[in-house]
Amino acid sequence: MTIVDTTTELAPNEAELLARVPDGLFIGGRWEAGTRDPIEVQDPATGRVIKRIANATPEDGIRALDAAAAAADAWAATAPRVRAEILRRAFDLLQERRADFALLMTLEMGKPLAEANGEVTYGGEFLRWFSEEAVRISGRFGQNPEGTGTMVVSQRPVGPCYLITPWNFPLAMATRKIAPALAAGCTVVVKPAELTPLTTLFFAQLLADAGVPDGVVNIIPTSTARTVSEPIIADPRLRKLSFTGSTPVGRTLLAQAGQNVLRTSMELGGNAPFVVFDDADLDKAVEGAMLAKFRNIGQACTAANRFIVHESVAEEFARRVTEKVQAFRVGRGTDDGVTIGPLIDDRAVASMAKLVEDAVSRGARVLTGGNAPEGDGFFFEPTVIVDVQPGSELLREEIFGPILAITTFSTEDEAVAAANSTEYGLVGYVFTQDLARGQRMIDRVDTGMMGLNTGLVSNAAAPFGGVKQSGLGREGGLEGIHEYLSTKYTLIPA
Ligand code: ADP
């Protein structure tokens, strides 16, 4: 693999874009300067601070909720067609500003520009999809069984929502929550991850330009997520909490939400099995593996975590993926031809090194990579590691980085048992040309999503979400808007 030198200076177009990104809190339709030390946003490819932005206090958080609560009735009463057209305008504006959003995500999060562009497409689709769903919210109606009245079932917006997003997909994780909430008629307070708040602030500007009324969307980046979030979650005006992030934080938030019996959506961690049978099309399996493992530098909850490969094809599979990995170019995501960017921070790099060390100490072999290169930025070499032994941390933990770990199996039952031996259940990938076997695996692997002969399943039109400790609720698809609606039944006697 080639490690590309990273330049530490911002290019003129990068500096110009960063200067156009708002640096305040967005509350009630106004940009506000913060009152405490700013958040310093870093470029993970260089470790350099690229912008300082306002840092919300707990009081700012409550004022953001005040604004969302004040705007709630008027937004719920706004015609669905009007809400839909605002979302559609946001989709169109995002296409116009595509290059800016892609570059901004690469600068604050590190993913290669081509992938950042892909995220603009994916993130934008939630705006388009939910603009279409806004006008299709409906209920049902019928005579009661006794014949004494009419039962009417309708859907109402749940009310003000608190949305907490992670750093790995700065745009898409925001649009996947904001778009259905707005389509349903809910107002929101958004807390982006402190590592990547710039995309959300830039997006707030876009929403205002698209015609979102003041107070409907409020954005409060903060360096103290817990102290700002707790009072918002405890406030009786809040009706819904939607979170994407790690399972431990999700557990804490669920406990807090329990106090006020809040509606919750939780998109938590994953530990996806990637099962390759001896009858798989290996070309497809290798191609799928590259996508499922190395997209977003492995930093996705849908990333393939455990490659469970039939013993008769494991060596060939490992050889082919190693060849592909050795052809990667590692570097700053803005540089031509770079396929693997940096990890998000130095903790992530240390965690990769620890996972490799643990696996090797238990008998695994590194075929390529395995180290953090010298120099600036938070890089870790894309790695292929085989003979990973049961009990290794690589198999138990969500890796969240560019390490492809291979284990083997001999029977279908063994593959199923290995796939399910985790407390997570977000997504599974299966490669086989035998349709009946594929169907059996879909039935037996305990996850919320499956990819059959593909390494990428995400789609705005599909319900994204997990079972077991991967979370509660679904985002996207027909299901996504119902996370922001509550069912109301009315009896009208005859
Ligand atoms: P990751 O490990 O991917 O950074 P986290 O679960 O730590 O995932 O973070 C996801 C989001 O949750 C971020 O926006 C972060 O600021 C926020 N967060 C972390 N801890 C808390 C907390 N105790 N209360 C509210 N939000 C939190």
Side-chain angles (χ1 to χ4, degrees):
M1 85 202 68
T2 319
I3 311 267
V4 180
D5 267 354
T6 55
T7 105
T8 50
E9 290 304 313
L10 285 174
N13 66 317
E14 296 168 3
E16 184 273 330
L17 167 62
L18 286 165
R20 281 190 282 124
V21 175
D23 59 5
L25 309 173
F26 189 61
I27 299 179
R30 292 191 14 242
W31 290 100
E32 294 186 7
T35 55
R36 66 204 286 217
D37 284 351
I39 297 176
E40 297 193 324
V41 182
Q42 283 185 328
D43 173 351
T46 62
R48 225 177 107 109
V49 174
I50 53 173
K51 194 166 174 93
R52 291 180 175 77
I53 61 156
N55 186 356
T57 62
E59 294 73 31
D60 294 327
I62 290 299
R63 286 191 308 102
L65 182 60
D66 292 344
D73 286 350
W75 183 244
T78 299
R81 175 65 74 201
V82 173
R83 300 200 301 258
E85 287 186 349
I86 290 174
L87 286 172
R88 176 64 203 214
R89 248 188 330 269
F91 169 79
D92 291 337
L93 282 177
L94 184 61
Q95 307 314 311
E96 284 170 25
R97 301 178 192 178
R98 161 180 293 277
D100 283 350
F101 273 92
L103 178 57
L104 189 56
M105 282 194 277
T106 295
L107 290 178
E108 69 172 339
M109 185 274 165
K111 70 184 75 190
L113 212 39
E115 288 195 36
N117 242 302
E119 184 174 344
V120 176
T121 301
Y122 175 55
E125 286 305 331
F126 291 100
L127 298 167
R128 177 152 66 175
W129 175 262
F130 286 110
S131 78
E132 293 157 350
E133 289 303 290
V135 290
R136 314 215 189 287
I137 299 166
S138 64
R140 56 201 162 85
F141 135 104
Q143 199 179 28
N144 65 0
E146 297 75 15
T148 56
T150 302
M151 306 197 306
V152 180
V153 180
S154 60
Q155 301 292 333
R156 301 288 308 147
V158 292
C161 305
Y162 186 41
L163 315 178
I164 303 178
T165 59
W167 50 263
N168 58 345
F169 292 96
L171 178 68
M173 297 303 96
T175 55
R176 198 159 82 173
K177 296 184 192 304
I178 295 172
L182 267 52
C186 297
T187 58
V188 302
V189 175
V190 186
K191 194 206 77 58
E194 52 273 45
L195 294 167
T196 59
L198 302 181
T199 303
T200 317
L201 294 174
F202 204 46
F203 185 62
Q205 184 69 65
L206 181 151
L207 289 176
D209 294 347
V212 172
D214 294 351
V216 170
V217 175
N218 306 277
I219 316 275
I220 49 162
T222 179
S223 62
T224 54
R226 189 179 58 77
T227 54
V228 167
S229 300
E230 264 175 12
I232 297 176
I233 296 168
D235 192 300
R237 293 171 300 173
L238 188 75
R239 298 308 321 138
K240 160 97 199 183
L241 169 65
S242 177
F243 169 74
T244 298
S246 61
T247 295
V249 174
R251 270 189 215 111
T252 306
L253 292 172
L254 273 172
Q256 291 173 18
Q259 292 304 309
N260 283 351
V261 196
L262 277 186
R263 285 276 298 273
T264 57
S265 303
M266 295 278 146
E267 296 292 350
L268 309 178
N271 182 351
F274 187 106
V275 182
V276 182
F277 281 97
D278 48 354
D279 60 14
D281 176 335
L282 266 200
D283 290 338
K284 274 196 187 154
V286 168
E287 193 188 320
M290 291 297 117
L291 256 183
K293 180 74 249 180
F294 294 105
R295 188 172 72 108
N296 225 36
I297 318 142
Q299 301 168 120
C301 49
T302 51
N305 220 56
R306 295 167 296 144
F307 288 79
I308 302 164
V309 186
H310 191 267
E311 57 194 6
S312 67
V313 292
E315 207 176 305
E316 172 72 0
F317 178 80
R319 191 185 59 74
R320 291 218 219 163
V321 291
T322 301
E323 217 168 76
K324 295 257 186 203
V325 167
Q326 287 174 335
F328 280 150
R329 278 169 73 82
V330 180
R332 190 168 188 250
T334 47
D335 294 349
D336 271 352
V338 162
T339 42
I340 297 281
L343 292 171
I344 192 67
D345 59 14
D346 49 1
R347 280 191 319 157
V349 176
S351 149
M352 294 309 117
K354 192 167 152 281
L355 288 170
V356 170
E357 198 186 300
D358 170 75
V360 169
S361 76
R362 295 169 194 262
R365 283 185 298 131
V366 173
L367 296 189
T368 186
N371 297 298
E374 296 286 316
D376 292 338
F378 310 126
F379 291 93
F380 194 82
E381 294 167 349
T383 300
V384 178
I385 184 163
V386 294
D387 299 338
V388 179
Q389 300 300 313
S392 300
E393 286 171 20
L394 270 177
L395 306 181
R396 280 202 311 269
E397 291 186 14
E398 188 174 24
I399 299 172
F400 239 64
I403 304 176
L404 194 160
I406 300 177
T407 62
T408 58
F409 72 92
S410 54
T411 67
E412 190 175 311
D413 283 346
E414 262 177 52
V416 171
N420 286 338
S421 73
T422 166
E423 73 269 25
Y424 294 108
L426 189 61
V427 60
Y429 305 95
V430 172
F431 285 75
T432 175
Q433 297 200 73
D434 177 341
L435 194 57
R437 167 177 275 163
Q439 187 60 58
R440 285 196 300 276
M441 293 298 286
I442 292 168
D443 290 343
R444 296 178 71 192
V445 175
D446 204 5
T447 55
M449 302 180 284
M450 287 293 280
L452 184 59
N453 296 319
T454 176
L456 183 63
V457 298
S458 301
N459 192 306
F464 185 105
V467 299
K468 295 159 80 179
Q469 294 194 30
S470 287
L472 299 167
R474 293 293 181 271
E475 293 190 314
L478 298 175
E479 291 81 355
I481 199 166
H482 286 279
E483 301 284 315
Y484 298 92
L485 292 168
S486 57
T487 298
K488 184 161 206 170
Y489 150 67
T490 307
L491 176 65
I492 306 172

